[in-house]
Structures are given as C-alpha cells and as structure tokens.
Amino acid sequence: MHLSPTGPRPRVLHLTQPVDGGVARVVTDLVRAQLASGLDVTVACPDSALTAELRALGAKARHWPATRSPGPSLVREVRHLARVIDEVRPDLVHAHSAKAGLAGRLAVRGRIPTVFQPHAWSFEAVGGGTAALALKWERWGARWAARVVCVSEAERATGVRARITGRWTVVPNGIDPERFHPAAADTVRAGLAQLADIHPAAPLAVCVGRLCRQKGQDVLLRAWEAVVRRVPDARLVLVGDGPDRDRLREDAPKSVLFAGAVTDASPWYQAADLVVLPSRWEGMALAPLEAMASGRAVVVTDVDGARESLPPSFAARCLVPPEKPAVLAEAVTELLLDPPLRESLGNRGRQHVLTTHDVRHTAEAVADIYRDLLDTSPATKRARPSRTGVGVPPLERSREWGSAKARSAEHGQPLDAGCGAEANQTTQRIEATEHRESIHS
C-alpha cells in the first residue's frame, strides 16, 4: 500500500475484542503494515498487553471497555464505541471477531465503510438457542458490512450455507516468516526452563493455543493416553492459558506439561518434534502456519480453514477429523515414530507458507479492499475536488491510491459496483486470485 507523501492520510479504525491469541496477532500485523504504508491507524480495544504493543508500533489506541462475549453490558459498549468513532472520525472501520463485529456494526450502521472479519463464525462457538440468536444476528448485521473478509474459503462457504448475505472476500491468514523460522531443536530446548527435566532426546509434541473448548486440548489429552502406550518417553506441552486450564490440569497425566501463556510462541515451535492443533472449529488458525514456517510437521483437525492451510499432499498424514481421539492418536504416534518423515513435512511446509501465507501478501490484499471501499464510498463520491482542495476526499488527495477498478482490471480482478440493486439477486462470484471475492445474496 503506497500513499502520496503530500496528501492527507486515510484514517482507519480497527475494533477488536478479544485482545489475545490469533486475532490480536492478525490485528498487530495489519496495523504494522498499514502504519508503514502511511495510513493513520487507531485501534479501539480493552486495555491490555495488545494496547501497549500497538502504541509501541506508533498506532493510536483507544480504550474500549468491552467483555469478550455479548451480555448485559452490550448497550453501554456500543454507546462508548459510538463516542470513539465520533472522536476518531475514521474513513473506514475494520471490526475483528464476532463481538467487535456486533458492537461495531451497531455503532456505525453502515454510515462509514465497514469491514467485518469474523475470524470463525460466532454461531459455531455456541449451541442451542444461543447459536440460533447468533446466526440471526449475523444474517441481520451483514447489511451493515460493506465487505465480509473470511480467512479461508471454507469459512466463506460456511457463511453462505448459513444464508448470510453480503459481499465476500477471502484473504488467507499470513505470518511473518522472519519471526517464525527453523532452529535446532536441542539448542532451543536447552533454553526453555520448563523443559529442564525432560531428556533432550524425548519425542516432544507441542500444542499452542488458548486453553478453551474451541482449541480441543481435552480431545488431545484423551488421545495422548494411546500415544504414550506406543511412545512411552513422549512428552506433550500445552502452551497457553484460558478458562479450561484447571480442568485440563486435573485430567493430564505426568507426561503433559503446562507452559502457561507466553509472549512469543516461536521457541516452542522450534523445540517441538511435532505441533498438534485439535480444534473443534476455526477460521484459519495461525498455529499450524507458524509451526510450518518454523520447519515443523503438524497434525490438525479438518475444520474450516485447516485443509486450506496445508499443502494438498499433507492431508493423508496431517489432517484428522475433529473430536476423534483414536484417529488423532494414530496420526500423532506415526509421526513421532518417523523422524525422516517429520523432517520432510517440515521442510515442505515452510516452503508452502513462504509461497502462500506470507503476512505481506495478506496486508496487501487487505489494502486492496480498503482502496476499493474508499474509492467507491458515498461519502467519497459526495466530496468532489475543488481548486482550493477543500472538500477533497482523502483518497482523491492521495495520488498513488489511484483507482481500485483500474488496478483490479490490471491484475485481471473484476470488481462489482457494490451491493445496492444486486442485493436481491442470488448471485455469487469467486475470483481465482490470492484474495478471492464473491457476491452472495
């Protein structure tokens, strides 16, 4: 994303809750890239470690006192967010996750171009009546999103099957391959105090993620009993914290270690022989991408985005059905017993990530979405250029943004005129590009 050094900078407001885990890392990576490109970036989120990190990057951080899930405080949270929006006066709002997507769209109601990025659908995270309410909201709230950004084609397809309408774009998650890179496992293990009592040659499986039902560590613990029967000296490390920590500790055998929350998971990937992610649902998890970038073999469950995160040839060895401990145990055991195969998978996995999931590709794909929305927003169209520059919209005053349509045609990516009359047609389109668009109504 490139801007004119003389023109005013477009203002982008990111909204996020949660403030940890994969969503926080995605927001941080996007903010870093957008600041480097010259955007004026503000993030509204609860005060947290994320706030400090964003400010260190040079972004503005505004306190938004929000809980992780919808509840009685929602009305107050929406009002607070509306005040933040009035003060920041963004040209575009980008809401991350179900909670920020709910509050953000209620606060904006389509008055400003709004990007909603679910990072896994809310109605998959709950059951019964709560799931029905979440789905009803997502169908209703879609009218207030100028674009819905999914991190995988599977996540988009789940939304379409659920009859959520809107303009879709698929932008696969990306990671920083310079931060996540291979290293000698024995050297890294020697520097991790939690592994001091483990034999340096012990087969080591690592699971990185929030300790919660979504991530499926309970399924992995049930599978682990079968693993250690065949690989008695194997050890498992759960890296992360969360609401299920105490229950998981009670159920874990002595061969399982709890590393707790860490600010940097990269040493744990490097220390591992195998990285496991037994999720019940995802959009596209970062952990397998980070593990592959670190040159490590992975085993993941076949949930939204997982298959797309792997090279196609990995499915037979590395992809297992969710909530099937016996199948998971077999896949983990086979790889722990086959070091040459693990090494081959690790090398091929890193090349796949470098080609397909570099965070720089992700940032540029999101930049293309912003250009399109800001070039075609009603507010932009109303403000026509004048000789004095008064009333000139930010993008027209930034010469190098240019026309999104021209750029898309240049790359063979046709763009729609927007929703409008097409909102009543049952059409959809997927572009076979690095970030793919569709219309579904």
Side-chain angles (χ1 to χ4, degrees), residues 209-218 241-244 248 280:
R210 191 166 183 262
L211 303 184
C212 61
R213 183 175 180 275
Q214 176 192 358
K215 298 299 182 179
Q217 291 95 344
D218 58 319
D241 201 355
D244 290 356
L248 291 170
R280 289 182 165 91

Side-chain angles (χ1 to χ4, degrees), residues 141-407:
R143 71 192 62 202
W144 292 324
R147 195 73 60 90
V148 180
V149 174
C150 294
V151 295
S152 66
E153 172 57 27
E155 184 180 61
R156 185 206 67 85
T158 296
V160 170
R161 285 195 303 270
R163 294 185 286 116
I164 298 169
T165 64
R167 188 175 183 186
W168 305 86
T169 301
V170 176
V171 180
N173 271 339
I175 58 94
D176 182 354
E178 295 181 3
R179 176 183 175 191
F180 297 98
H181 58 82
D186 54 352
T187 303
V188 177
R189 289 188 191 187
L192 292 170
Q194 296 97 321
L195 301 181
D197 296 332
I198 294 180
H199 192 280
L204 185 66
V206 171
C207 176
V208 177
R210 191 166 183 262
L211 303 184
C212 61
R213 183 175 180 275
Q214 176 192 358
K215 298 299 182 179
Q217 291 95 344
D218 58 319
V219 180
L220 178 55
L221 289 183
R222 294 201 299 274
W224 192 249
E225 297 176 6
V227 174
V228 293
R229 282 198 292 269
R230 292 178 57 189
V231 193
D233 55 344
R235 296 294 181 268
L236 170 64
V237 180
L238 302 185
V239 180
D241 201 355
D244 290 356
R245 178 192 58 197
D246 294 341
R247 181 174 60 82
L248 291 170
R249 281 183 179 274
E250 290 176 3
D251 295 340
K254 291 182 179 179
S255 57
V256 178
L257 288 79
F258 288 77
V262 299
T263 56
D264 182 9
S266 57
W268 289 101
Y269 295 124
Q270 295 166 340
D273 292 305
L274 178 67
V275 175
V276 187
L277 190 71
S279 302
R280 289 182 165 91
W281 69 87
E282 292 284 356
M284 176 180 280
L286 293 177
L289 302 177
E290 294 168 349
M292 287 189 290
S294 304
R296 298 301 181 254
V298 299
V299 172
V300 299
T301 45
D302 194 1
V303 296
D304 276 6
R307 185 179 293 272
E308 293 170 62
S309 71
L310 299 176
S313 61
F314 280 32
R317 295 279 190 179
C318 303
L319 202 63
V320 299
E323 300 203 66
K324 298 290 184 182
V327 183
L328 177 61
E330 184 66 22
V332 170
T333 300
E334 286 187 5
L335 285 173
L336 286 179
L337 292 173
D338 195 339
L341 178 58
R342 290 200 312 268
E343 183 176 4
S344 173
L345 291 171
N347 292 336
R348 287 152 56 197
R350 177 164 173 81
Q351 290 306 310
H352 172 72
V353 170
L354 291 175
T355 302
T356 312
H357 294 285
D358 190 313
V359 71
R360 290 167 292 191
H361 302 161
T362 301
E364 188 55 37
V366 172
D368 284 344
I369 296 168
Y370 287 7
R371 292 185 188 105
D372 180 25
L373 296 180
L374 289 170
D375 280 349
T376 59
S377 72
T380 300
K381 289 178 177 178
R382 283 195 299 270
R384 305 315 306 168
S386 70
R387 292 180 181 177
T388 62
V390 176
V392 180
L395 288 191
E396 293 187 23
R397 285 179 281 176
S398 294
R399 297 188 303 271
E400 290 187 274
W401 275 76
S403 164
K405 293 184 179 179
R407 264 187 302 274

